[in-house]
Amino acid sequence: MQLIYWIDLFGVFVFAISGINVGLQRKLDVFGASVIAFATAIGGGTIRDLLLGSTPVGWMKDANYIYAIVLGVVLSLFFRPKVQKLSNTIFLFDTIGLALYSIIGIKKALMYDMSPVVAIMLGTVSAVFGGVLRDVLTNQIPLIFRKEIYAILSILGGGLYFLIVYIYGNETLSMYISMVFIIVLRLVVVKKKWELPKL
Amino acid sequence: MQLIYWIDLFGVFVFAISGINVGLQRKLDVFGASVIAFATAIGGGTIRDLLLGSTPVGWMKDANYIYAIVLGVVLSLFFRPKVQKLSNTIFLFDTIGLALYSIIGIKKALMYDMSPVVAIMLGTVSAVFGGVLRDVLTNQIPLIFRKEIYAILSILGGGLYFLIVYIYGNETLSMYISMVFIIVLRLVVVKKKWELPKL
Amino acid sequence: MQLIYWIDLFGVFVFAISGINVGLQRKLDVFGASVIAFATAIGGGTIRDLLLGSTPVGWMKDANYIYAIVLGVVLSLFFRPKVQKLSNTIFLFDTIGLALYSIIGIKKALMYDMSPVVAIMLGTVSAVFGGVLRDVLTNQIPLIFRKEIYAILSILGGGLYFLIVYIYGNETLSMYISMVFIIVLRLVVVKKKWELPKL
């Protein structure tokens, strides 16, 4: 799990960069944008932990998460024009973060004896509610409620996770396959500009 | 309490229908509207449980709540024009939900040794904060802060509950009388279009 | 700590007055404005307690907090024109509240074995997230994200607290000095109209 820990820290770092850029675009000052960076990076995991009753919540017990966010914030502020040119790189890591948070959320929910359906929901909450919090705090209707098929990928990947565990009984294999599935599917979805219908 | 369990599930189902209709009206996609349905249905009880420290929160431990919401969402999507014609029926169940959630919230708070004042507040939180969450997530000032006398009924009904328990010492009787009181009073209030003053 | 308890109650009272005035300015009815008063007064401490897992959260276990809020609400409603003339007095107590909540938040976080960095963050959350919640519930971008240097003072004061404890090893001394530091610095900041840069 050592590898996952580092990817997880990297996910927090990337979500913080994404958050501070949104904050600055929306005319917040440096402090406000930094709060948005924090909320984007740890919001999903925090809501998951609160719902499970896993407190103090995760990032409060391991300073590396805070350092990763601060690093993302500081780098974004100092190299702002360059960070914006890296949008492809950020998009890639954002996608990795989506996959990783979805599956880590499921694992954590299972540690608390949640059913598969609740576990998939909590995986999705972990992956997308940082962005929801970011949008609520900047007074916008959350992006994933309107345009992005983002959250559906998390749900499908979560379903695949349990399917593979059910068929092959191998949790580690299932974890990696469903993560790769989410990443590939997101790349396809964005390429093809698939959207959900509005009624 | 078997009857109350079924009414409770029905309340969740009705609140989900109310939530998805609001979500679709506000131009969300199907996923976004479904999240609003969930938030409306279980938001109030979730906030109550978090404040009390009753975690994992209620709906995560009983899949029937999730099924009730999914059923409400699916039926709304398939029979959308018909559901909208049922607005009187929905209004009635919404009113039953208000009464039920208020009193169930009080009961749960008392299990955690809260004082009557805090219990009444938590009953009201259970009954109305699903709607508050719905409005915040769709970027509106919560309806109950502006127009609806909704929450006051929950508070009055909660006060009546403790009054009857104090006088007659009968919790079951008190529960039913205060629920009927909330339902009847809401029908009168909506009929008469009573509002709270703005200063 | 008896003195701090009374100042704390006074802080809740003052934040409730500030909250109800904002609510009424934003065209809410009396109930809505009262909810905003509650959210402003106890929001920050509630989020701190939830993150720490200190539940039922503080104000639910001591009715005096609720009485202090209700008193603030009732006085504001009855003496509204006069309360608005007291804006200098309210500003002063709001500043005292900022200082007090920051340091009380740190103390509480340390009781839960949080690191100094997390403790400073939770002190700031205690001091400013009541206002954030007030602004989110009234559908505005939180004031402290845009204009007010408010939160930075809480962070600086928290840093000073740990610096003095580190050098002199005296927690009580440190507590009072860092509170006075926050109060004086805020008066200077508002006088000089210092703001954070937007990038």
Side-chain angles (χ1 to χ4, degrees):
Chain A
M1 300 292 278
Q2 195 62 16
L3 177 63
I4 287 193
Y5 177 69
W6 288 105
I7 303 178
D8 189 22
L9 280 180
F10 204 87
V12 167
F13 170 76
V14 170
F15 277 167
I17 291 175
S18 139
I20 195 157
N21 278 301
V22 169
L24 293 174
Q25 275 164 26
R26 293 180 190 171
K27 307 292 176 208
L28 306 187
D29 63 25
V30 170
F31 171 77
S34 302
V35 173
I36 301 303
F38 260 93
T40 310
I42 50 96
T46 297
I47 294 173
R48 177 199 65 213
D49 286 354
L50 290 178
L51 291 172
L52 286 171
S54 169
T55 51
V57 298
W59 58 269
M60 291 165 67
K61 287 178 287 194
D62 179 351
N64 286 340
Y65 286 94
I66 294 175
Y67 297 148
I69 295 171
V70 170
L71 189 66
V73 165
V74 170
L75 288 179
S76 294
L77 292 176
F78 276 93
F79 302 102
R80 212 179 155 221
K82 284 195 184 153
V83 166
Q84 289 178 319
K85 273 188 216 138
L86 294 175
S87 63
N88 278 335
T89 314
I90 289 183
F91 172 75
L92 186 63
F93 284 114
D94 185 54
T95 300
I96 294 173
L98 169 67
L100 188 80
Y101 281 33
S102 300
I103 304 304
I104 286 181
I106 287 174
K107 292 288 221 186
K108 181 134 191 191
L110 293 177
M111 282 167 49
Y112 281 78
D113 292 324
M114 294 293 111
S115 66
V117 169
V118 171
I120 292 172
M121 287 178 61
L122 287 179
T124 305
V125 164
S126 312
V128 310
F129 267 64
V132 170
L133 206 55
R134 174 197 66 205
D135 293 337
V136 167
L137 288 174
T138 54
N139 201 21
Q140 309 232 342
I141 294 185
L143 191 65
I144 62 153
F145 294 175
R146 291 175 293 144
K147 285 209 219 166
E148 264 273 30
I149 208 165
Y150 207 83
I152 300 293
L153 307 180
S154 172
I155 295 170
L156 292 177
L160 184 64
Y161 173 84
F162 283 103
L163 188 69
I164 296 174
V165 169
Y166 182 76
I167 296 176
Y168 296 103
N170 186 331
E171 292 183 17
T172 309
L173 176 74
S174 177
M175 199 172 80
Y176 287 113
I177 291 181
S178 48
M179 280 175 55
V180 169
F181 168 82
I182 293 174
I183 291 170
V184 171
L185 194 57
R186 176 150 198 234
L187 297 178
V188 172
V189 159
V190 171
K191 189 93 183 168
K192 303 271 188 190
K193 297 189 181 160
W194 285 342
E195 288 189 10
L196 286 182
K198 290 175 198 180
L199 298 188
Chain B
M1 300 293 280
Q2 195 62 17
L3 177 63
I4 286 195
Y5 177 70
W6 288 105
I7 302 179
D8 190 23
L9 279 179
F10 203 87
V12 166
F13 170 76
V14 171
F15 276 167
I17 292 175
S18 138
I20 196 156
N21 278 303
V22 169
L24 293 173
Q25 276 164 24
R26 294 182 190 170
K27 307 293 176 208
L28 305 187
D29 64 25
V30 171
F31 171 76
S34 302
V35 173
I36 301 302
F38 260 92
T40 309
I42 50 97
T46 298
I47 294 172
R48 176 199 64 212
D49 286 354
L50 290 178
L51 291 173
L52 287 171
S54 169
T55 51
V57 298
W59 59 269
M60 293 164 66
K61 289 177 285 195
D62 180 352
N64 287 341
Y65 287 94
I66 294 174
Y67 297 148
I69 295 170
V70 170
L71 189 66
V73 165
V74 170
L75 288 178
S76 294
L77 292 176
F78 277 94
F79 301 103
R80 212 181 155 221
K82 284 195 185 156
V83 166
Q84 289 178 317
K85 272 189 218 138
L86 294 175
S87 63
N88 279 335
T89 314
I90 289 184
F91 171 76
L92 186 63
F93 284 114
D94 184 54
T95 299
I96 294 173
L98 169 67
L100 188 79
Y101 282 33
S102 300
I103 304 303
I104 286 181
I106 286 174
K107 292 288 221 185
K108 182 135 190 191
L110 293 177
M111 281 168 51
Y112 281 78
D113 293 324
M114 294 293 110
S115 66
V117 169
V118 171
I120 292 172
M121 287 177 62
L122 288 177
T124 305
V125 163
S126 311
V128 309
F129 267 64
V132 170
L133 205 56
R134 174 198 67 205
D135 293 337
V136 167
L137 287 173
T138 54
N139 200 21
Q140 308 230 343
I141 294 185
L143 191 64
I144 61 151
F145 294 175
R146 290 174 293 144
K147 285 209 220 167
E148 263 272 28
I149 210 165
Y150 208 81
I152 300 292
L153 307 181
S154 173
I155 294 170
L156 292 177
L160 184 64
Y161 174 84
F162 283 104
L163 188 69
I164 297 174
V165 169
Y166 182 76
I167 296 175
Y168 296 103
N170 186 331
E171 292 182 18
T172 308
L173 176 75
S174 175
M175 199 172 80
Y176 287 113
I177 291 182
S178 48
M179 281 175 56
V180 169
F181 167 81
I182 293 173
I183 292 171
V184 171
L185 193 58
R186 177 152 198 234
L187 298 178
V188 172
V189 160
V190 170
K191 190 92 183 169
K192 303 270 188 188
K193 298 191 180 159
W194 286 341
E195 287 190 8
L196 285 183
K198 290 175 197 179
L199 298 188
Chain C
M1 299 294 278
Q2 195 60 16
L3 177 63
I4 287 193
Y5 177 69
W6 288 104
I7 302 178
D8 190 22
L9 280 179
F10 204 86
V12 166
F13 170 75
V14 171
F15 277 168
I17 292 175
S18 138
I20 196 155
N21 278 302
V22 169
L24 293 174
Q25 275 163 25
R26 293 180 191 171
K27 308 291 175 209
L28 305 186
D29 63 26
V30 170
F31 172 76
S34 303
V35 173
I36 301 302
F38 260 92
T40 309
I42 51 97
T46 298
I47 294 173
R48 177 200 64 212
D49 286 354
L50 290 177
L51 291 173
L52 286 170
S54 169
T55 51
V57 298
W59 58 269
M60 292 163 67
K61 287 177 288 196
D62 179 353
N64 287 340
Y65 286 94
I66 295 175
Y67 298 148
I69 295 170
V70 170
L71 189 66
V73 165
V74 169
L75 288 179
S76 294
L77 293 176
F78 277 94
F79 301 103
R80 209 175 160 226
K82 284 196 185 154
V83 166
Q84 288 177 319
K85 273 189 217 137
L86 294 175
S87 64
N88 278 334
T89 314
I90 289 183
F91 171 75
L92 185 64
F93 283 113
D94 185 54
T95 299
I96 294 173
L98 169 67
L100 188 80
Y101 281 33
S102 300
I103 304 304
I104 286 181
I106 287 175
K107 293 288 222 185
K108 182 136 191 192
L110 293 177
M111 281 167 50
Y112 281 77
D113 293 324
M114 294 293 111
S115 66
V117 169
V118 171
I120 292 172
M121 288 177 62
L122 288 178
T124 305
V125 164
S126 312
V128 309
F129 267 63
V132 169
L133 206 55
R134 175 198 65 206
D135 293 337
V136 167
L137 288 174
T138 53
N139 201 22
Q140 308 231 343
I141 295 186
L143 190 65
I144 61 152
F145 294 176
R146 290 175 292 143
K147 284 209 219 163
E148 263 272 30
I149 210 165
Y150 208 82
I152 300 292
L153 307 182
S154 173
I155 294 170
L156 292 178
L160 183 65
Y161 173 84
F162 283 104
L163 188 69
I164 296 174
V165 170
Y166 182 75
I167 296 176
Y168 296 102
N170 186 331
E171 292 183 16
T172 308
L173 176 74
S174 178
M175 198 171 80
Y176 287 112
I177 291 181
S178 47
M179 281 174 56
V180 169
F181 167 81
I182 292 174
I183 292 171
V184 171
L185 195 57
R186 178 153 196 234
L187 298 178
V188 172
V189 159
V190 170
K191 188 92 183 170
K192 302 271 190 190
K193 299 190 181 159
W194 285 343
E195 287 190 10
L196 285 181
K198 292 176 197 180
L199 299 187

